[in-house]
Amino acid sequence: MRNPFGRAEQHPAPDTEPEPDAGPGADPGGRGRAGRRRAAGLPRSLLAVVLGALPVLVFPAPGLWWAAYVCLVPWMMLVRTAPGARRAALDGWCGGVGFLLAVHHWLLPSVHVFLLVMAALLGLLWLPWGVLVRALLGGAPTPARAAAALCAVPSGWLLIELVRSWEGLGGPWGLLGASQWNVPVALRLASVGGVWLVSLLVVAVNTAVVLLVAVPGLRAVGVAGLAACALVAGTAAWGVGVPRPSGAVRVAMVQPGLHGGPGGAEARLDRAVELTRGLAGQRLDLVVWGESGVGRDPSGDPELTARLTALARAVDAPVLVNVDARRTDRPGIYKSALLFTPDGPTGDRYDKMRLVPFGEYVPARGLLGWATSVGKAAEEDRRRGTEPVVMQLPEDGRTLSVGPLVCFESAFPDMSRRLARDGADVIVVQSATSTFQRSWAPAQHASLAALRAAETGRPVVHATLTGTSAAYGPDGERVGPPVGTDTSGAVVRELPLSETTTVYARWGDWPLYGAFVVVGAVCAAAGGGALRRPAPGRRGRRARTGRG
């Protein structure tokens, strides 16, 4: 209808009606709507947290590894429907918080409130990823945007994994590619590009599935993406040779299975000695103890040195022990791998270089030192080693080289790669996850050794104080069953050796460099408008303008 002035009357749209009068000073058109938007956004944020936590199920101990290829789909489907970039960023952050809380939930008894703080801060890494997902997958993507998404969304995820892999931010625990530790095709892929390339493949498949499910008009692009992923995996599986065996090594893993209790460190030492003596006559090349198996520094204790030397003589094999004690030749507490042969200590000593935040040191202790009063944070900071060490073991006319790592360090691909390039024939991880016995942590930690073996083409021994202990061949396949957390015993594993140099050992973290290039190129294309989404109704306005 027309008003007396000849113009159509304007009625407010239902979603723009003012709030009822709330009294003097009310702002019916501003804060009321903002409050409603915030209230409506809370369930969505909680949903994003839950969806972001789903990937925890693909890691041990749940071990639903096959679900890794769709575990991000619900989260990405939510992000792509965000009404704006700000909401997409918030969905990314909330999902990242959920992911980190789920993957590190077993740390809660040790770090308490710091786990939530850590998740909230590191979750910010997913803010730009959320924007990227919406920009490339939101609405009705063009074929160009869909193709870009297949490359850029996995690359963006990989850069997040890179940043949070820094030791000071908690280290590379829960990398998505690590969920594929027992999949032969994924292990072959790891030998080419490390765990990073496996993560790329997993996220790329998730992205292709989103295109298949959410964008019917681009199902061909999704199918093409899945085919490309299958081609990459197949090339890795059949185009890359399995490491060539060059002999074998017999390694014993000693797991005393004692944590605390009467006697403490001395009880662990006595039990480890007892179990090691039971290995006599088994033609061993090396005996490995778990982390913190010795609570005194042998270099300042002649009696302990003599005892460990006699033990090596009794089993006729070198014994690699791990000392968690104050050193006698320098100030501070170190975690160190020391080698004892039938002729005495070799003098080789590896001091742990990368320490667990809060577990072995408190970052900014002057500011955060109060963490020791609410959790199980380190009362005194451990000291760091300065360089990796490869130990030489003369064995029947040959030289066997052993590269030791201590616990947390097995999560870092670059450390085992460095040992392999320095000539290590066997990589040994001495670990103790006894603080987290009844959690998923021991199984997850042991599984990382499979990735390190596949990446380097070297067998990896993961020997622990209380479990889980396991050994892997140079192809990443586990040799023999694992030793569970409730076991106190010693097992022997015969592991094939290999002199093969893997692509990853030679070329390193090249997928990370590629991810930088891809994300940079996509950002440049978006800035130039090549991938920009058309505003709703733009074509209609142009058409009406053309009709005059």
Side-chain angles (χ1 to χ4, degrees), residues 50-94:
V50 173
L51 297 181
L54 290 180
V56 72
L57 300 176
V58 306
F59 298 99
L64 304 179
W65 62 267
W66 49 268
Y69 296 95
V70 293
C71 68
L72 298 179
V73 171
W75 182 11
M76 293 169 65
M77 294 277 282
L78 179 71
V79 174
R80 70 176 293 273
T81 62
R86 183 179 301 178
R87 181 67 244 186
L90 184 58
D91 290 342
W93 176 64
C94 291

mmCIF file of all heavy atoms in Angstrom, residues 50-94:
data_model
loop_
_atom_site.group_PDB
_atom_site.id
_atom_site.type_symbol
_atom_site.label_atom_id
_atom_site.label_comp_id
_atom_site.label_asym_id
_atom_site.label_seq_id
_atom_site.Cartn_x
_atom_site.Cartn_y
_atom_site.Cartn_z
ATOM 1 N N VAL A 50 33.234 -30.330 21.136
ATOM 2 C CA VAL A 50 33.001 -31.783 21.079
ATOM 3 C C VAL A 50 33.506 -32.360 19.763
ATOM 4 O O VAL A 50 34.184 -33.399 19.735
ATOM 5 C CB VAL A 50 31.504 -32.086 21.266
ATOM 6 C CG1 VAL A 50 31.225 -33.570 21.027
ATOM 7 C CG2 VAL A 50 31.056 -31.688 22.668
ATOM 8 N N LEU A 51 33.190 -31.707 18.657
ATOM 9 C CA LEU A 51 33.616 -32.216 17.349
ATOM 10 C C LEU A 51 35.138 -32.178 17.214
ATOM 11 O O LEU A 51 35.738 -33.070 16.602
ATOM 12 C CB LEU A 51 32.960 -31.409 16.233
ATOM 13 C CG LEU A 51 31.432 -31.475 16.163
ATOM 14 C CD1 LEU A 51 30.917 -30.662 14.992
ATOM 15 C CD2 LEU A 51 30.955 -32.918 16.066
ATOM 16 N N GLY A 52 35.770 -31.143 17.787
ATOM 17 C CA GLY A 52 37.225 -31.087 17.743
ATOM 18 C C GLY A 52 37.885 -32.181 18.550
ATOM 19 O O GLY A 52 39.031 -32.563 18.279
ATOM 20 N N ALA A 53 37.167 -32.705 19.550
ATOM 21 C CA ALA A 53 37.738 -33.760 20.394
ATOM 22 C C ALA A 53 37.646 -35.150 19.769
ATOM 23 O O ALA A 53 38.321 -36.078 20.227
ATOM 24 C CB ALA A 53 37.028 -33.772 21.750
ATOM 25 N N LEU A 54 36.840 -35.312 18.734
ATOM 26 C CA LEU A 54 36.627 -36.642 18.148
ATOM 27 C C LEU A 54 37.915 -37.340 17.707
ATOM 28 O O LEU A 54 38.029 -38.561 17.842
ATOM 29 C CB LEU A 54 35.657 -36.541 16.966
ATOM 30 C CG LEU A 54 34.193 -36.234 17.305
ATOM 31 C CD1 LEU A 54 33.367 -36.161 16.028
ATOM 32 C CD2 LEU A 54 33.626 -37.302 18.238
ATOM 33 N N PRO A 55 38.907 -36.628 17.141
ATOM 34 C CA PRO A 55 40.112 -37.336 16.674
ATOM 35 C C PRO A 55 40.867 -38.108 17.755
ATOM 36 O O PRO A 55 41.701 -38.951 17.419
ATOM 37 C CB PRO A 55 40.974 -36.196 16.111
ATOM 38 C CG PRO A 55 39.991 -35.161 15.680
ATOM 39 C CD PRO A 55 38.906 -35.212 16.709
ATOM 40 N N VAL A 56 40.605 -37.846 19.038
ATOM 41 C CA VAL A 56 41.323 -38.588 20.080
ATOM 42 C C VAL A 56 41.064 -40.092 19.964
ATOM 43 O O VAL A 56 41.892 -40.909 20.385
ATOM 44 C CB VAL A 56 40.916 -38.078 21.483
ATOM 45 C CG1 VAL A 56 39.509 -38.508 21.847
ATOM 46 C CG2 VAL A 56 41.904 -38.560 22.537
ATOM 47 N N LEU A 57 39.949 -40.462 19.372
ATOM 48 C CA LEU A 57 39.589 -41.874 19.277
ATOM 49 C C LEU A 57 40.458 -42.644 18.292
ATOM 50 O O LEU A 57 40.462 -43.876 18.313
ATOM 51 C CB LEU A 57 38.119 -42.005 18.869
ATOM 52 C CG LEU A 57 37.107 -41.370 19.829
ATOM 53 C CD1 LEU A 57 35.695 -41.480 19.267
ATOM 54 C CD2 LEU A 57 37.188 -42.017 21.203
ATOM 55 N N VAL A 58 41.200 -41.948 17.435
ATOM 56 C CA VAL A 58 41.986 -42.651 16.413
ATOM 57 C C VAL A 58 43.365 -43.046 16.933
ATOM 58 O O VAL A 58 44.075 -43.808 16.270
ATOM 59 C CB VAL A 58 42.122 -41.794 15.138
ATOM 60 C CG1 VAL A 58 40.750 -41.365 14.652
ATOM 61 C CG2 VAL A 58 43.011 -40.582 15.350
ATOM 62 N N PHE A 59 43.755 -42.533 18.095
ATOM 63 C CA PHE A 59 45.056 -42.867 18.670
ATOM 64 C C PHE A 59 44.914 -44.059 19.616
ATOM 65 O O PHE A 59 43.822 -44.333 20.109
ATOM 66 C CB PHE A 59 45.619 -41.671 19.447
ATOM 67 C CG PHE A 59 45.862 -40.449 18.602
ATOM 68 C CD1 PHE A 59 44.952 -39.403 18.578
ATOM 69 C CD2 PHE A 59 47.004 -40.340 17.822
ATOM 70 C CE1 PHE A 59 45.164 -38.274 17.807
ATOM 71 C CE2 PHE A 59 47.234 -39.228 17.038
ATOM 72 C CZ PHE A 59 46.311 -38.193 17.016
ATOM 73 N N PRO A 60 46.022 -44.766 19.904
ATOM 74 C CA PRO A 60 45.938 -45.753 20.980
ATOM 75 C C PRO A 60 45.592 -45.027 22.284
ATOM 76 O O PRO A 60 45.963 -43.858 22.440
ATOM 77 C CB PRO A 60 47.359 -46.333 21.033
ATOM 78 C CG PRO A 60 47.981 -45.987 19.717
ATOM 79 C CD PRO A 60 47.353 -44.699 19.301
ATOM 80 N N ALA A 61 44.882 -45.640 23.238
ATOM 81 C CA ALA A 61 44.474 -47.018 23.240
ATOM 82 C C ALA A 61 43.156 -47.295 22.508
ATOM 83 O O ALA A 61 42.912 -48.448 22.143
ATOM 84 C CB ALA A 61 44.359 -47.508 24.691
ATOM 85 N N PRO A 62 42.239 -46.296 22.283
ATOM 86 C CA PRO A 62 41.059 -46.678 21.513
ATOM 87 C C PRO A 62 41.442 -47.305 20.182
ATOM 88 O O PRO A 62 40.876 -48.305 19.771
ATOM 89 C CB PRO A 62 40.315 -45.342 21.331
ATOM 90 C CG PRO A 62 40.757 -44.505 22.463
ATOM 91 C CD PRO A 62 42.194 -44.885 22.691
ATOM 92 N N GLY A 63 42.405 -46.673 19.489
ATOM 93 C CA GLY A 63 42.999 -47.279 18.310
ATOM 94 C C GLY A 63 42.092 -47.394 17.104
ATOM 95 O O GLY A 63 42.290 -48.277 16.271
ATOM 96 N N LEU A 64 41.110 -46.510 16.957
ATOM 97 C CA LEU A 64 40.249 -46.553 15.774
ATOM 98 C C LEU A 64 40.946 -45.831 14.621
ATOM 99 O O LEU A 64 40.465 -44.829 14.094
ATOM 100 C CB LEU A 64 38.901 -45.905 16.091
ATOM 101 C CG LEU A 64 38.136 -46.485 17.285
ATOM 102 C CD1 LEU A 64 36.832 -45.733 17.504
ATOM 103 C CD2 LEU A 64 37.861 -47.969 17.073
ATOM 104 N N TRP A 65 42.085 -46.371 14.189
ATOM 105 C CA TRP A 65 42.940 -45.688 13.222
ATOM 106 C C TRP A 65 42.211 -45.383 11.920
ATOM 107 O O TRP A 65 42.457 -44.361 11.271
ATOM 108 C CB TRP A 65 44.180 -46.539 12.932
ATOM 109 C CG TRP A 65 43.877 -47.860 12.315
ATOM 110 C CD1 TRP A 65 43.691 -49.042 12.945
ATOM 111 C CD2 TRP A 65 43.688 -48.122 10.914
ATOM 112 N NE1 TRP A 65 43.401 -50.033 12.043
ATOM 113 C CE2 TRP A 65 43.405 -49.491 10.787
ATOM 114 C CE3 TRP A 65 43.742 -47.337 9.763
ATOM 115 C CZ2 TRP A 65 43.168 -50.096 9.557
ATOM 116 C CZ3 TRP A 65 43.502 -47.932 8.528
ATOM 117 C CH2 TRP A 65 43.225 -49.302 8.439
ATOM 118 N N TRP A 66 41.316 -46.270 11.518
ATOM 119 C CA TRP A 66 40.597 -46.094 10.251
ATOM 120 C C TRP A 66 39.694 -44.868 10.278
ATOM 121 O O TRP A 66 39.408 -44.270 9.237
ATOM 122 C CB TRP A 66 39.761 -47.336 9.959
ATOM 123 C CG TRP A 66 38.936 -47.779 11.140
ATOM 124 C CD1 TRP A 66 39.295 -48.685 12.085
ATOM 125 C CD2 TRP A 66 37.633 -47.299 11.502
ATOM 126 N NE1 TRP A 66 38.305 -48.821 13.027
ATOM 127 C CE2 TRP A 66 37.278 -47.976 12.693
ATOM 128 C CE3 TRP A 66 36.752 -46.391 10.956
ATOM 129 C CZ2 TRP A 66 36.052 -47.751 13.339
ATOM 130 C CZ3 TRP A 66 35.533 -46.170 11.589
ATOM 131 C CH2 TRP A 66 35.205 -46.843 12.766
ATOM 132 N N ALA A 67 39.241 -44.468 11.488
ATOM 133 C CA ALA A 67 38.365 -43.308 11.599
ATOM 134 C C ALA A 67 39.116 -42.001 11.388
ATOM 135 O O ALA A 67 38.485 -40.942 11.260
ATOM 136 C CB ALA A 67 37.671 -43.298 12.962
ATOM 137 N N ALA A 68 40.444 -42.050 11.350
ATOM 138 C CA ALA A 68 41.216 -40.825 11.142
ATOM 139 C C ALA A 68 40.853 -40.161 9.817
ATOM 140 O O ALA A 68 40.923 -38.934 9.690
ATOM 141 C CB ALA A 68 42.714 -41.130 11.174
ATOM 142 N N TYR A 69 40.428 -40.949 8.837
ATOM 143 C CA TYR A 69 40.164 -40.410 7.509
ATOM 144 C C TYR A 69 38.806 -39.704 7.404
ATOM 145 O O TYR A 69 38.493 -39.139 6.356
ATOM 146 C CB TYR A 69 40.284 -41.531 6.482
ATOM 147 C CG TYR A 69 41.696 -42.078 6.431
ATOM 148 C CD1 TYR A 69 42.054 -43.204 7.160
ATOM 149 C CD2 TYR A 69 42.678 -41.430 5.697
ATOM 150 C CE1 TYR A 69 43.353 -43.688 7.148
ATOM 151 C CE2 TYR A 69 43.979 -41.903 5.673
ATOM 152 C CZ TYR A 69 44.320 -43.026 6.410
ATOM 153 O OH TYR A 69 45.606 -43.486 6.405
ATOM 154 N N VAL A 70 38.036 -39.737 8.484
ATOM 155 C CA VAL A 70 36.772 -38.982 8.510
ATOM 156 C C VAL A 70 36.593 -38.219 9.816
ATOM 157 O O VAL A 70 35.575 -37.559 10.008
ATOM 158 C CB VAL A 70 35.556 -39.918 8.298
ATOM 159 C CG1 VAL A 70 35.559 -40.498 6.897
ATOM 160 C CG2 VAL A 70 35.529 -41.033 9.339
ATOM 161 N N CYS A 71 37.567 -38.299 10.724
ATOM 162 C CA CYS A 71 37.375 -37.740 12.071
ATOM 163 C C CYS A 71 37.247 -36.222 12.070
ATOM 164 O O CYS A 71 36.661 -35.643 12.996
ATOM 165 C CB CYS A 71 38.505 -38.188 13.003
ATOM 166 S SG CYS A 71 40.133 -37.483 12.612
ATOM 167 N N LEU A 72 37.776 -35.542 11.063
ATOM 168 C CA LEU A 72 37.684 -34.086 10.994
ATOM 169 C C LEU A 72 36.456 -33.611 10.229
ATOM 170 O O LEU A 72 36.140 -32.414 10.244
ATOM 171 C CB LEU A 72 38.937 -33.505 10.335
ATOM 172 C CG LEU A 72 40.272 -33.746 11.028
ATOM 173 C CD1 LEU A 72 41.400 -33.116 10.217
ATOM 174 C CD2 LEU A 72 40.271 -33.184 12.441
ATOM 175 N N VAL A 73 35.761 -34.510 9.564
ATOM 176 C CA VAL A 73 34.653 -34.120 8.702
ATOM 177 C C VAL A 73 33.556 -33.379 9.466
ATOM 178 O O VAL A 73 33.105 -32.306 9.031
ATOM 179 C CB VAL A 73 34.095 -35.345 7.953
ATOM 180 C CG1 VAL A 73 32.801 -35.004 7.231
ATOM 181 C CG2 VAL A 73 35.124 -35.866 6.956
ATOM 182 N N PRO A 74 33.065 -33.881 10.609
ATOM 183 C CA PRO A 74 32.002 -33.134 11.312
ATOM 184 C C PRO A 74 32.437 -31.731 11.716
ATOM 185 O O PRO A 74 31.655 -30.773 11.588
ATOM 186 C CB PRO A 74 31.715 -34.011 12.541
ATOM 187 C CG PRO A 74 32.160 -35.384 12.150
ATOM 188 C CD PRO A 74 33.354 -35.178 11.278
ATOM 189 N N TRP A 75 33.642 -31.596 12.199
ATOM 190 C CA TRP A 75 34.162 -30.282 12.596
ATOM 191 C C TRP A 75 34.251 -29.353 11.387
ATOM 192 O O TRP A 75 33.816 -28.201 11.421
ATOM 193 C CB TRP A 75 35.521 -30.476 13.256
ATOM 194 C CG TRP A 75 36.206 -29.249 13.766
ATOM 195 C CD1 TRP A 75 35.686 -27.997 13.911
ATOM 196 C CD2 TRP A 75 37.560 -29.168 14.203
ATOM 197 N NE1 TRP A 75 36.629 -27.145 14.427
ATOM 198 C CE2 TRP A 75 37.790 -27.837 14.606
ATOM 199 C CE3 TRP A 75 38.610 -30.084 14.303
ATOM 200 C CZ2 TRP A 75 39.029 -27.408 15.090
ATOM 201 C CZ3 TRP A 75 39.832 -29.666 14.794
ATOM 202 C CH2 TRP A 75 40.038 -28.337 15.186
ATOM 203 N N MET A 76 34.779 -29.853 10.281
ATOM 204 C CA MET A 76 34.906 -29.035 9.081
ATOM 205 C C MET A 76 33.539 -28.675 8.497
ATOM 206 O O MET A 76 33.355 -27.570 7.961
ATOM 207 C CB MET A 76 35.761 -29.767 8.042
ATOM 208 C CG MET A 76 37.223 -29.934 8.462
ATOM 209 S SD MET A 76 38.157 -31.046 7.395
ATOM 210 C CE MET A 76 38.146 -30.141 5.854
ATOM 211 N N MET A 77 32.582 -29.581 8.603
ATOM 212 C CA MET A 77 31.226 -29.280 8.121
ATOM 213 C C MET A 77 30.625 -28.130 8.917
ATOM 214 O O MET A 77 29.912 -27.279 8.369
ATOM 215 C CB MET A 77 30.354 -30.529 8.251
ATOM 216 C CG MET A 77 30.774 -31.675 7.343
ATOM 217 S SD MET A 77 30.130 -31.543 5.678
ATOM 218 C CE MET A 77 28.458 -32.096 5.951
ATOM 219 N N LEU A 78 30.896 -28.112 10.219
ATOM 220 C CA LEU A 78 30.401 -27.010 11.040
ATOM 221 C C LEU A 78 31.070 -25.699 10.645
ATOM 222 O O LEU A 78 30.401 -24.669 10.477
ATOM 223 C CB LEU A 78 30.664 -27.314 12.516
ATOM 224 C CG LEU A 78 30.227 -26.234 13.510
ATOM 225 C CD1 LEU A 78 28.707 -26.170 13.600
ATOM 226 C CD2 LEU A 78 30.844 -26.478 14.889
ATOM 227 N N VAL A 79 32.386 -25.723 10.481
ATOM 228 C CA VAL A 79 33.124 -24.500 10.177
ATOM 229 C C VAL A 79 32.680 -23.916 8.833
ATOM 230 O O VAL A 79 32.531 -22.701 8.683
ATOM 231 C CB VAL A 79 34.640 -24.774 10.185
ATOM 232 C CG1 VAL A 79 35.410 -23.540 9.718
ATOM 233 C CG2 VAL A 79 35.103 -25.186 11.579
ATOM 234 N N ARG A 80 32.462 -24.756 7.837
ATOM 235 C CA ARG A 80 32.124 -24.249 6.502
ATOM 236 C C ARG A 80 30.771 -23.557 6.476
ATOM 237 O O ARG A 80 30.480 -22.782 5.564
ATOM 238 C CB ARG A 80 32.169 -25.372 5.462
ATOM 239 C CG ARG A 80 31.060 -26.397 5.580
ATOM 240 C CD ARG A 80 31.132 -27.419 4.439
ATOM 241 N NE ARG A 80 30.843 -26.805 3.161
ATOM 242 C CZ ARG A 80 29.612 -26.655 2.667
ATOM 243 N NH1 ARG A 80 28.562 -27.068 3.356
ATOM 244 N NH2 ARG A 80 29.430 -26.092 1.488
ATOM 245 N N THR A 81 29.909 -23.842 7.471
ATOM 246 C CA THR A 81 28.589 -23.209 7.498
ATOM 247 C C THR A 81 28.584 -21.941 8.349
ATOM 248 O O THR A 81 27.511 -21.352 8.553
ATOM 249 C CB THR A 81 27.543 -24.176 8.069
ATOM 250 O OG1 THR A 81 27.875 -24.509 9.432
ATOM 251 C CG2 THR A 81 27.482 -25.455 7.240
ATOM 252 N N ALA A 82 29.722 -21.516 8.844
ATOM 253 C CA ALA A 82 29.778 -20.306 9.665
ATOM 254 C C ALA A 82 29.265 -19.109 8.878
ATOM 255 O O ALA A 82 29.595 -18.947 7.696
ATOM 256 C CB ALA A 82 31.206 -20.058 10.141
ATOM 257 N N PRO A 83 28.459 -18.237 9.504
ATOM 258 C CA PRO A 83 27.904 -17.097 8.774
ATOM 259 C C PRO A 83 28.934 -16.041 8.395
ATOM 260 O O PRO A 83 28.673 -15.203 7.546
ATOM 261 C CB PRO A 83 26.873 -16.523 9.752
ATOM 262 C CG PRO A 83 27.320 -16.996 11.096
ATOM 263 C CD PRO A 83 27.958 -18.322 10.884
ATOM 264 N N GLY A 84 30.080 -16.062 9.015
ATOM 265 C CA GLY A 84 31.108 -15.086 8.697
ATOM 266 C C GLY A 84 32.480 -15.589 9.100
ATOM 267 O O GLY A 84 32.615 -16.620 9.771
ATOM 268 N N ALA A 85 33.510 -14.871 8.701
ATOM 269 C CA ALA A 85 34.879 -15.290 9.006
ATOM 270 C C ALA A 85 35.135 -15.298 10.510
ATOM 271 O O ALA A 85 35.861 -16.158 11.017
ATOM 272 C CB ALA A 85 35.870 -14.366 8.295
ATOM 273 N N ARG A 86 34.547 -14.338 11.232
ATOM 274 C CA ARG A 86 34.767 -14.290 12.677
ATOM 275 C C ARG A 86 34.216 -15.531 13.355
ATOM 276 O O ARG A 86 34.855 -16.115 14.226
ATOM 277 C CB ARG A 86 34.128 -13.036 13.257
ATOM 278 C CG ARG A 86 34.349 -12.845 14.743
ATOM 279 C CD ARG A 86 33.711 -11.569 15.256
ATOM 280 N NE ARG A 86 34.254 -10.408 14.570
ATOM 281 C CZ ARG A 86 33.841 -9.161 14.800
ATOM 282 N NH1 ARG A 86 32.860 -8.936 15.673
ATOM 283 N NH2 ARG A 86 34.389 -8.149 14.145
ATOM 284 N N ARG A 87 33.018 -15.959 12.953
ATOM 285 C CA ARG A 87 32.424 -17.159 13.529
ATOM 286 C C ARG A 87 33.228 -18.399 13.133
ATOM 287 O O ARG A 87 33.406 -19.326 13.942
ATOM 288 C CB ARG A 87 30.987 -17.292 13.050
ATOM 289 C CG ARG A 87 30.232 -18.493 13.580
ATOM 290 C CD ARG A 87 29.975 -18.412 15.073
ATOM 291 N NE ARG A 87 30.652 -19.476 15.794
ATOM 292 C CZ ARG A 87 30.496 -19.698 17.093
ATOM 293 N NH1 ARG A 87 29.690 -18.922 17.805
ATOM 294 N NH2 ARG A 87 31.153 -20.667 17.682
ATOM 295 N N ALA A 88 33.736 -18.432 11.906
ATOM 296 C CA ALA A 88 34.558 -19.563 11.474
ATOM 297 C C ALA A 88 35.832 -19.648 12.298
ATOM 298 O O ALA A 88 36.271 -20.738 12.676
ATOM 299 C CB ALA A 88 34.891 -19.422 9.989
ATOM 300 N N ALA A 89 36.451 -18.501 12.588
ATOM 301 C CA ALA A 89 37.640 -18.492 13.424
ATOM 302 C C ALA A 89 37.325 -19.006 14.817
ATOM 303 O O ALA A 89 38.098 -19.777 15.408
ATOM 304 C CB ALA A 89 38.220 -17.083 13.487
ATOM 305 N N LEU A 90 36.168 -18.596 15.356
ATOM 306 C CA LEU A 90 35.776 -19.061 16.690
ATOM 307 C C LEU A 90 35.510 -20.558 16.689
ATOM 308 O O LEU A 90 35.889 -21.269 17.622
ATOM 309 C CB LEU A 90 34.530 -18.295 17.146
ATOM 310 C CG LEU A 90 34.029 -18.596 18.559
ATOM 311 C CD1 LEU A 90 35.115 -18.309 19.591
ATOM 312 C CD2 LEU A 90 32.771 -17.781 18.867
ATOM 313 N N ASP A 91 34.883 -21.068 15.630
ATOM 314 C CA ASP A 91 34.670 -22.513 15.518
ATOM 315 C C ASP A 91 36.006 -23.252 15.464
ATOM 316 O O ASP A 91 36.156 -24.342 16.031
ATOM 317 C CB ASP A 91 33.868 -22.836 14.255
ATOM 318 C CG ASP A 91 32.418 -22.385 14.351
ATOM 319 O OD1 ASP A 91 31.948 -22.144 15.477
ATOM 320 O OD2 ASP A 91 31.773 -22.272 13.294
ATOM 321 N N GLY A 92 36.969 -22.662 14.744
ATOM 322 C CA GLY A 92 38.294 -23.278 14.690
ATOM 323 C C GLY A 92 38.954 -23.293 16.046
ATOM 324 O O GLY A 92 39.539 -24.305 16.456
ATOM 325 N N TRP A 93 38.866 -22.172 16.781
ATOM 326 C CA TRP A 93 39.485 -22.101 18.106
ATOM 327 C C TRP A 93 38.830 -23.087 19.073
ATOM 328 O O TRP A 93 39.516 -23.831 19.781
ATOM 329 C CB TRP A 93 39.384 -20.683 18.656
ATOM 330 C CG TRP A 93 39.917 -20.542 20.056
ATOM 331 C CD1 TRP A 93 41.204 -20.725 20.461
ATOM 332 C CD2 TRP A 93 39.175 -20.197 21.228
ATOM 333 N NE1 TRP A 93 41.321 -20.511 21.819
ATOM 334 C CE2 TRP A 93 40.084 -20.181 22.310
ATOM 335 C CE3 TRP A 93 37.834 -19.893 21.450
ATOM 336 C CZ2 TRP A 93 39.686 -19.883 23.609
ATOM 337 C CZ3 TRP A 93 37.436 -19.582 22.749
ATOM 338 C CH2 TRP A 93 38.357 -19.582 23.812
ATOM 339 N N CYS A 94 37.503 -23.114 19.112
ATOM 340 C CA CYS A 94 36.807 -24.022 20.031
ATOM 341 C C CYS A 94 37.133 -25.482 19.709
ATOM 342 O O CYS A 94 37.354 -26.297 20.610
ATOM 343 C CB CYS A 94 35.300 -23.785 19.960
ATOM 344 S SG CYS A 94 34.758 -22.206 20.645
#
